[in-house]
Amino acid sequence: MKPRIILILGDQLSPDIAALREADKTRDIVLMAEVADEAGYVPHHPKKIAFLFAAMRKFAANLEADGWRMRYTKLDDPDNAGSISGEILRVCEATSAEECFATEPGEFRLITALEEMPIPVHQFPDDRFLCSHAEFDAWAEGRKELRMEYFYREMRRKTGLLMDGDKPEGGKWNYDHDNRKPPPGSIDTAPMHFTPDDVVEEVLDLVAARFDNNFGDLRPFWFATDIGQARRALSHFISHALPQFGDYQDAMMGGEKFLYHSILSMYLNAGLLTWHEICEAAAEAYAKGTAPLNAVEGFIRQIIGWREYMRGIYFREGPDYTQRNVLGHDRALPEFYWDGQTQMACMASAIDQTREEAYAHHIQRLMVTGNFALLAGIDPHAVHEWYLAVYADAYEWVEAPNVIGMSQFADGGIVGSKPYVSGGNYINKMSDYCKGCRYDVKVKTGEDGCPFNYLYWAFLHRHRDRFGKNPRMAQMYRTWMRMSDEKRSDTIDSAEAFLSRMSAGERV
Ligand code: FAD
Ligand code: DLZ
Ligand code: SF4
């Protein structure tokens, strides 16, 4: 019998991935390939590329040791075809294979490329998620609004996580109210670091030679690159950071890049960890009394709630989702997103740590860099491409609904019922950035005024036809309309002057 090609992509590094389950060890050939197309569809952060290539190589070595016939193409292989489809065809030519088994990729771009192959490619559902496409669509069907909170409750019932019979543990579904503490004086933990082994070092040399011009620092490189290491990072988080995760979930601190966050998304999204083992570990910490309910519920909600919900939205909305732009924003992405050269301390801090670590936590992504892009009217597609490039956990299925939907409101309100915008006050309350800033968060207009302040009001003013009647925003519009004509026109003038200087390339 002719062998079949079993394709495993860089974010499918799970031993029980669907395509492999369908395969026959005695017959088939497993294909994994480092290819220029995947490494270059956006200018990925070098740490992200190094992480995936190192994890791919180790995963392939384990499959080989387990008896699989492997075909692994390194990026610098002179015969590398440069794309996933090209690599599939190359294996067809070199063997008698005429058919390929794949697990559905997390991006329409690649799903389409596989559909258009000249040989049959069977794409099996990626069942590493709690909710299938069909289940999400059934949940969404007929609902006026797709609110995450209701989806999340379904997932709690389905998994039994933090359930007391059919009631939520502690009597409430959501303990977010307790999870908004400002930053603490200091942080007493850090994510687990791993010293690069020989496989990682070889990849680091390759990435340094090939992707030197990409945004991001390659070294020091400390990520886990195999399942064993990722599991150690998980247990370290459960013991050292989870207990405080809830309290400081929304806090931001200059110089503290990780606070009490898990830094697990890149491992989970690449397949080194499962949602199930992460959530079980967190629930067990609650059961043993080593982590409080507000932390554990908040953490589990991010994974079985937000993560699954975002995936459901991406696949339900379809390939044109990343092109949406209901607010008609078209300003170019400022250069400081790539070089951190801005006088706004909050932005410089979030961008600098993104360059260093390929990581920023949720509130930095949403309320600093995302908030600024929305207030400044940046083209959402450019914002989407930036996020897809710079974070180690970024794949379109999860990045696009977070950016196009949640952060930029470019989908018109599918993910969020109102835009996530705020002035400087929110950032000042939740961080220590403002005290080291050239701008004054208490000043609303003029040279020294915090740009988030006047851009916020100018945004509301610009979009009053769309948001003026939104009951969740009525209070803000009333406040705006109560300001004197002079104050309102000062605010709009300050915003316009700032945006003109920014677009002219001045250091703002
Ligand atoms: P923690 O704060 O420890 O949270 C635990 C886990 O919950 C994460 O590991 C992640 O798997 C999950 N999670 C939390 N929030 C979300 C969310 N909104 N959507 C999906 N999963 C979530 N997450 C990505 O995995 N990839 C992305 O490309 C990505 N892009 C984002 C872009 C924007 C503009 C925003 C606002 C959020 C984005 N997120 C993305 C969600 C979130 O910011 C990251 O999952 C989180 O910061 C990862 O860090 P962590 O592992 O320390 O998370
Ligand atoms: C992100 C990425 C990168 C940088 N490189 C590769 C690669 O060389 N080979 C590969 O199989 N996968 C890579 N990936 C992950 C894919 O881009 C990812 O599978 C798709 O975007 C679908 O989520
Ligand atoms: Fe950011 Fe404004 Fe605070 Fe400066 S003053 S750090 S720009 S919120």
Side-chain angles (χ1 to χ4, degrees):
M1 266 194 299
K2 290 185 175 166
R4 291 149 320 179
I5 300 167
I6 311 301
L7 175 69
I8 298 188
L9 295 167
D11 55 353
Q12 298 181 340
L13 308 180
S14 313
D16 71 338
I17 191 83
L20 207 54
R21 281 204 316 266
E22 300 291 332
D24 176 350
K25 227 182 234 181
T26 60
R27 171 179 173 193
D28 298 327
I29 302 170
V30 177
L31 168 65
M32 294 177 71
E34 300 165 8
V35 290
D37 273 12
E38 293 311 305
Y41 60 86
V42 287
H44 300 283
H45 195 296
K47 272 197 169 80
K48 175 182 181 184
I49 302 176
F51 161 63
L52 276 188
F53 285 6
M56 284 169 71
R57 289 182 187 194
K58 291 187 179 187
F59 186 79
N62 282 340
L63 288 184
E64 192 155 34
D66 199 27
W68 288 96
R69 195 144 55 110
M70 291 300 298
R71 182 77 185 226
Y72 190 97
T73 309
K74 290 185 176 176
L75 190 71
D76 51 5
D77 180 333
D79 297 326
N80 191 320
S83 66
I84 294 296
S85 340
E87 280 296 301
I88 294 172
L89 293 179
R90 206 156 73 88
V91 181
C92 287
E93 274 167 28
T95 66
S96 54
E98 290 172 349
E99 202 183 347
C100 175
F101 283 3
T103 309
E104 183 185 70
E107 195 172 331
F108 288 113
R109 175 185 60 84
L110 214 46
I111 294 176
T112 309
L114 294 181
E115 281 168 358
E116 290 173 352
M117 291 281 305
I119 60 158
V121 180
H122 308 276
Q123 299 191 45
F124 296 99
D126 188 348
D127 52 12
R128 293 174 299 166
F129 293 87
L130 169 59
C131 183
S132 68
H133 301 332
E135 192 180 350
F136 188 84
D137 291 347
W139 171 79
E141 189 57 37
R143 282 174 196 260
K144 253 174 81 187
E145 291 188 324
L146 303 183
R147 291 290 149 253
M148 195 291 294
E149 183 62 28
Y150 298 110
F151 171 78
Y152 164 58
R153 292 179 191 180
E154 291 296 312
M155 296 302 110
R156 285 274 295 278
R157 289 191 187 96
K158 179 175 173 182
T159 56
L161 282 162
L162 298 182
M163 294 299 292
D164 181 5
D166 59 355
K167 300 265 182 319
E169 186 70 35
K172 285 199 298 183
W173 290 101
N174 182 318
Y175 290 85
D176 237 4
H177 188 66
D178 303 336
N179 291 356
R180 295 191 184 128
K181 290 209 172 86
S186 61
I187 306 294
D188 55 8
T189 183
M192 185 166 253
H193 282 41
F194 298 88
T195 308
D197 55 26
D198 291 348
V199 175
V200 178
E201 284 296 353
E202 191 185 309
V203 165
L204 291 178
D205 289 343
L206 172 75
V207 173
R210 292 285 291 261
F211 302 98
D212 198 32
N213 291 329
N214 286 18
F215 165 92
D217 299 345
L218 176 60
R219 293 173 197 266
F221 184 89
W222 52 270
F223 296 171
T225 47
D226 58 47
I227 291 172
Q229 290 181 345
R231 287 189 179 149
R232 284 170 56 204
L234 167 61
S235 355
H236 178 85
F237 163 72
I238 299 287
S239 316
H240 295 90
L242 178 64
Q244 314 266 47
F245 171 86
D247 287 357
Y248 301 114
Q249 199 179 338
D250 289 0
M252 297 175 282
M253 285 169 86
E256 287 293 348
K257 304 170 196 170
F258 307 109
L259 289 97
Y260 295 101
H261 290 273
S262 68
I263 331 298
L264 294 175
S265 51
M266 59 194 163
Y267 308 141
L268 176 58
N269 294 350
L272 300 183
L273 295 174
T274 67
W275 69 264
H276 186 256
E277 71 186 310
I278 298 179
C279 292
E280 281 297 329
E284 195 188 311
Y286 171 66
K288 286 198 311 210
T290 55
L293 187 53
N294 68 308
V296 175
E297 185 282 313
F299 181 71
I300 286 178
R301 173 162 25 92
Q302 307 311 311
I303 295 177
I304 64 166
W306 279 112
R307 183 171 185 267
E308 296 282 338
Y309 168 83
M310 289 304 192
R311 180 169 183 266
I313 296 283
Y314 177 75
F315 280 100
R316 184 176 150 83
E317 289 302 314
D320 80 326
Y321 189 71
T322 58
Q323 303 299 330
R324 306 222 183 141
N325 185 3
V326 299
L327 299 180
H329 285 172
D330 58 5
R331 194 177 293 277
L333 187 76
E335 201 46 36
F336 59 71
Y337 273 80
W338 297 110
D339 63 19
Q341 290 301 311
T342 163
Q343 305 189 69
M344 292 177 278
C346 53
M347 290 288 286
S349 184
I351 293 165
D352 284 350
Q353 80 159 73
T354 300
R355 183 179 46 243
E356 288 162 14
E357 308 292 5
Y359 178 82
H361 71 68
H362 186 70
I363 295 299
Q364 293 173 306
R365 297 188 205 195
L366 185 64
M367 300 312 290
V368 180
T369 44
N371 187 15
F372 182 85
L374 180 55
L375 294 180
I378 314 285
D379 169 10
H381 193 74
V383 180
H384 148 70
E385 291 198 321
W386 183 78
Y387 278 95
L388 191 56
V390 302
Y391 291 112
D393 57 19
Y395 304 93
E396 206 174 88
W397 66 266
V398 56
E399 173 276 336
N402 270 295
V403 174
I404 297 289
M406 181 189 263
S407 166
Q408 299 302 296
F409 204 82
D411 67 1
I414 295 168
V415 168
S417 56
K418 73 178 189 49
Y420 277 95
V421 279
S422 83
N425 265 348
Y426 175 85
I427 295 177
N428 192 32
K429 192 172 101 198
M430 298 312 297
S431 80
D432 60 2
Y433 294 140
C434 299
K435 42 183 210 241
C437 187
R438 168 252 179 272
Y439 297 106
D440 188 338
V441 71
K442 301 274 185 261
V443 177
K444 307 292 177 204
T445 56
E447 284 270 294
D448 294 332
C450 163
F452 283 84
N453 289 341
Y454 44 74
L455 290 176
Y456 172 77
W457 292 115
F459 170 89
L460 290 190
H461 181 68
R462 207 163 61 239
H463 293 296
R464 58 195 177 283
D465 288 349
R466 179 177 289 272
F467 298 125
K469 293 191 194 74
N470 183 328
R472 298 189 60 204
M473 299 177 78
Q475 177 58 40
M476 298 323 295
Y477 277 99
R478 277 198 294 275
T479 307
W480 174 237
M481 292 317 292
R482 271 202 302 270
M483 289 182 202
S484 67
D485 287 351
E486 193 190 348
K487 201 167 171 191
R488 273 188 280 145
S489 95
D490 273 359
T491 305
I492 290 166
D493 290 350
S494 295
E496 281 173 2
F498 174 90
L499 292 174
S500 304
R501 282 189 289 120
M502 181 182 88
S503 289
E506 268 183 53
R507 187 166 185 266
V508 288

